[in-house]
Each structure stands twice: as C-alpha cells, then as structure tokens.
Amino acid sequence: VPRVVVPVEAGDGAVCAPLLTQQEQVDVLEHLDCVLRNIAELRKEVEELRNSLQHLAAEIVGEVRSHLEETQKVTRRRRFPFPRERSDSTGSSSIYFTASSGAANTDDGESEGGYSTANAESDYDRESERESEEGEDEVSCETVRTVRRDSLDLVNEDETHLILDSSLEEGLGQLLQQADRLHDGGEQEQREGFQLLLNNKLAYADQKDFLWRLARAHSDMCEITEDADEKRSYASDGKEEMEMALRKWDQSAECHQWYAVLCGQLAEHESIQKRIQTGYVFKEHIDKAIELKPEDPKSYYLLGRWCYQVSHLGWLEKKTASALFEAPPTATVQDALQNFLQVEELSPGFSKAGRVYIAKCYRDLGNKSAAVLWMNLASELPASTKE
C-alpha cells in the first residue's frame, strides 16, 4: 500500500503514514481477488462463445454447401437435351408415366402390371448414377459437374438459367392474368386480387408488370374502403411503390399512369395548395403515359377528367394557384371533350363514366341534344365502379 508524506504537526518533520488500515487493506485484497476471478471466468466464457460461434459457422457453411451440391446434382440429373434410352428398349419414355398411373400395358416385354419394365431404367442410366454417387464421395462438386457435362452433354449453365427464368415468367404470367381478372370484378374480387399480389410481392418485387398492378390494387382498395385514414394509407403506399418503380422503369406508360392516379387519390385528402400542386404532377405523368403508349384509352380518360376539373376550378382555387405558381393550370371544357371522344374512338364503350362526362361537356357547351344522346348511350353500359 503506498505511503504518503503527512505532516503530523506544524513545524514537525514529515512522517510516512499508511492511507489504509490493515483491515481495510485485507478487504481491498479480497475485492481484487474477486475481480480477478470474475475476469478469468469472463475470459473463459468468451473463449467458449467464440469456439461455439466458429463451430456453428462451420456447420452452416457445410449445410449450405451440401444443399447447393444436392441442388446442382438434381438439376444435372433432370436437365437433359434429349431423353436417355437403350437402343433395345421395348417402349418410349412415356411408358413410365402410363405404368406409374396404374394403367396396365399389353407390351410383352413388361412384367406384371407393366411396373418392372416401366420403372426400370436402362443399364446406362443405372451405371451412370452408380458411378456418379461413388464419384461424388471422392471428388468435388465442380469435378463432378465437369465430368458429367463432358460425358452426357448436359445443358450448360446459361441454358439452365433460361429454363428457370422461363418457369418464373410462366408463373408470373398466370399470376398477372388472375390479378387482371380480379381487378375487373366486384369489390370482393378486388380485395382478393390485392391480397394475392401482396402475398407474391417478395417473389416478383423486381418485375415491372407486377409492380404497377400492385399499385393499381392499392388504388382499388382506396376506392373500396370508406374510412378516410385507410384511403390515405392505401394511396400513399401505392404511390411509394410507383416512385420506386419509376426510378427503374421511367419508360413504362403504366407506371406513369398509375402514379398519376394515386397522386390524385392522395391529394383528395390534402389542402387546396397541395391539390393544385399535385395537379401539375398528375398532368405531367399522364402526358408521359400518352407519349409512351398513345393507344391506351385510359390515359385519355384521365386527362379528360383533369381538363374538366381544371375548367371548373372555383374562384378561391384559381386565386390560390395564381398566388403560388407562376403559371396556373389551364384547360377548357372543349379540351376535356376532345379527350373523352378520343377514348370512344380508341375503345367504344370503354367507360360508362366517360360517356357521362361527354354528356356533361356537351351540356356545358350548350348542346343539349348531344348531351341527351350521350346520356342514353351511357345508360346502355353496365356500372362497374362506384363512380
């Protein structure tokens, strides 16, 4: 224990006295021993934890390697450019499926029920698989792949990827067809379509045609629900999906189209200033969609809606737009009418609401007979939306 110089009295010489008593020194030593023991135990536990983690990492790597090797082995066994047959085979490879389904075959070369002949592979197949299984225990997966490719002329890796991509595209195509069908149905079908797309988002989140349909489903849910907060949530989530999609697919007409729709739906719950600002964004993306896909009637219908609403802006909205923006949005009823008529030209009967808006435009322009005509034409179409 260190000693310090402590003057006993003024004028006396300094003497060295201990800072701690003997009992206090004993207590300190006991505490130090306890700390050292704890440190030693902690070091031991850390070492055991490190060894456990290394062992676990080795097991994970081994399992992943085994899984990859097994996957490659199965892929190599299944991907043949031509069916493997014996020259003296008594039937085609389709016999296997006939026998396995339980149907009797009249071939003389088959045994009872056709099972033995049907399930028996050629001598070449059995020998190849036996050699493969023995060889995989002795050589690496890469060596096995090289030997098999040279001896059996298996498809190369690029062709394998093409086969897998083709299967993925086929599944996506079926999914999109089902989503389109549900979108065209009633509210319950649209809810099912929305859930269907959500369930497959993880698998197809990098597919353009999937993403804009997912955004469309968000728009459908925004229309279906009655709660204002839910409407805002669906519109906001769908808009975010399209923002990410447009970063990658700026040349997609559908992405621009549904981004504009969701912006408009979200703006319905915003202030006048926000609605006017969104109007510019809406017009910009609809114009881009028409530029990319001029044969799509829906884009002209949306542009007609925009023109009609702008032509009927109130005094307060016009003043707000003039104060906040250098060039307020401008459009006339005639502009709206031309876009709605373009819809009918591209796809007659495309929308019941579209024909109603044509009648509104003619009414506003003073042509009552044309307005009545288009109202009658609208009544002939079934109502497919709340609008």
Side-chain angles (χ1 to χ4, degrees):
V1 178
R3 295 173 177 270
V4 298
V5 178
V6 182
V8 178
E9 293 180 0
D12 293 342
V15 297
C16 294
L19 292 177
L20 302 175
T21 65
Q22 184 176 2
Q23 182 60 39
E24 291 175 339
Q25 294 177 21
V26 172
D27 293 339
V28 170
L29 290 175
E30 290 179 353
H31 283 88
L32 288 176
D33 289 339
C34 181
V35 171
L36 291 175
R37 286 196 300 271
N38 290 336
I39 292 175
E41 292 177 358
L42 180 61
R43 183 183 293 111
K44 181 178 179 181
E45 291 178 358
V46 170
E47 186 65 25
E48 291 177 354
L49 179 60
R50 182 186 293 110
N51 294 335
S52 298
L53 290 176
Q54 291 176 350
H55 180 69
L56 179 60
E59 289 183 351
I60 293 175
V61 171
E63 291 179 0
V64 171
R65 183 181 291 111
S66 299
H67 177 72
L68 291 176
E69 291 177 356
E70 182 65 22
T71 302
Q72 293 173 352
K73 180 175 67 175
V74 173
T75 302
R76 289 193 298 273
R77 286 179 177 177
R78 292 180 178 178
R79 305 300 185 187
F80 285 86
F82 52 84
R84 299 181 295 177
E85 295 180 338
R86 289 182 55 185
S87 58
D88 59 345
S89 175
T90 58
S92 66
S93 59
S94 62
I95 295 177
Y96 172 80
F97 299 100
T98 303
S100 62
S101 63
N105 197 300
T106 57
D107 238 340
D108 294 337
E110 290 184 4
S111 62
E112 184 177 348
Y115 182 83
S116 299
T117 305
N119 287 277
E121 297 179 10
S122 66
D123 296 337
Y124 172 79
D125 294 341
R126 291 195 300 272
E127 293 175 0
S128 298
E129 291 183 0
R130 188 182 301 111
E131 292 173 359
S132 298
E133 293 174 356
E134 293 175 355
E136 286 172 0
D137 295 334
E138 300 174 358
V139 298
S140 66
C141 181
E142 180 63 28
T143 304
V144 173
R145 182 167 60 249
T146 303
V147 172
R148 287 184 173 182
R149 184 185 294 115
D150 293 339
S151 61
L152 300 178
D153 292 330
L154 296 180
V155 295
N156 57 38
E157 296 294 334
D158 292 338
E159 291 177 346
T160 301
H161 287 308
L162 289 175
I163 293 173
L164 295 177
D165 291 342
S166 176
S167 176
L168 184 66
E169 291 179 0
E170 181 179 356
L172 176 61
Q174 296 175 355
L175 174 66
L176 298 184
Q177 289 179 3
Q178 186 176 2
D180 290 340
R181 178 179 58 80
L182 293 173
H183 166 72
D184 293 333
E187 292 187 1
Q188 183 59 34
E189 285 78 6
Q190 290 179 348
R191 293 180 189 275
E192 293 176 2
F194 176 72
Q195 191 61 48
L196 173 68
L197 293 172
L198 278 185
N199 293 342
N200 289 273
K201 181 179 178 180
L202 185 62
Y204 300 106
D206 59 342
Q207 300 294 323
K208 175 192 64 177
D209 292 333
F210 176 86
L211 282 180
W212 71 256
R213 282 175 171 84
L214 179 59
R216 182 183 66 183
H218 278 87
S219 177
D220 291 339
M221 295 301 295
C222 182
E223 292 293 331
I224 291 172
T225 185
E226 300 292 342
D227 184 77
D229 291 336
E230 291 185 6
K231 284 180 176 290
R232 184 196 301 270
S233 177
Y234 283 125
S236 177
D237 292 345
K239 180 185 175 184
E240 291 178 1
E241 295 286 353
M242 283 296 90
E243 286 175 347
M244 292 186 293
L246 285 173
R247 295 192 189 106
K248 187 174 182 180
W249 298 291
D250 183 61
Q251 299 301 308
S252 169
E254 290 81 6
C255 289
H256 284 282
Q257 183 184 94
W258 286 104
Y259 180 76
V261 171
L262 289 160
C263 284
Q265 290 177 320
L266 186 59
E268 293 178 0
H269 308 279
E270 304 290 347
S271 63
I272 294 178
Q273 177 182 351
K274 189 66 176 179
R275 289 201 301 269
I276 294 174
Q277 184 179 1
T278 302
Y280 290 97
V281 178
F282 183 95
K283 177 70 160 50
E284 175 187 354
H285 286 275
I286 290 299
D287 287 343
K288 184 67 175 179
I290 292 176
E291 176 187 344
L292 294 171
K293 195 173 182 180
E295 70 278 7
D296 188 352
K298 184 173 182 62
S299 294
Y300 291 98
Y301 169 77
L302 294 171
L303 183 57
R305 287 287 307 275
W306 183 87
C307 292
Y308 190 83
Q309 290 182 2
V310 169
S311 67
H312 287 76
L313 286 177
W315 177 87
L316 179 60
E317 293 169 321
K318 290 180 180 179
K319 288 296 182 181
T320 303
S322 300
L324 296 175
F325 305 98
E326 295 181 359
T330 57
T332 64
V333 175
Q334 187 65 40
D335 295 333
L337 178 61
Q338 292 302 318
N339 283 289
F340 289 129
L341 290 176
Q342 182 67 23
V343 173
E344 285 293 321
E345 181 177 345
L346 291 172
S347 179
F350 173 79
S351 168
K352 184 185 188 77
R355 289 186 173 180
V356 172
Y357 270 102
I358 293 176
K360 287 183 177 183
C361 290
Y362 278 123
R363 179 202 61 190
D364 295 343
L365 294 172
N367 191 339
K368 294 184 178 180
S369 60
V372 172
L373 172 63
W374 281 98
M375 285 299 293
N376 290 332
L377 292 174
S379 65
E380 297 176 357
L381 297 178
S384 57
T385 64
K386 289 182 178 181
E387 182 187 23

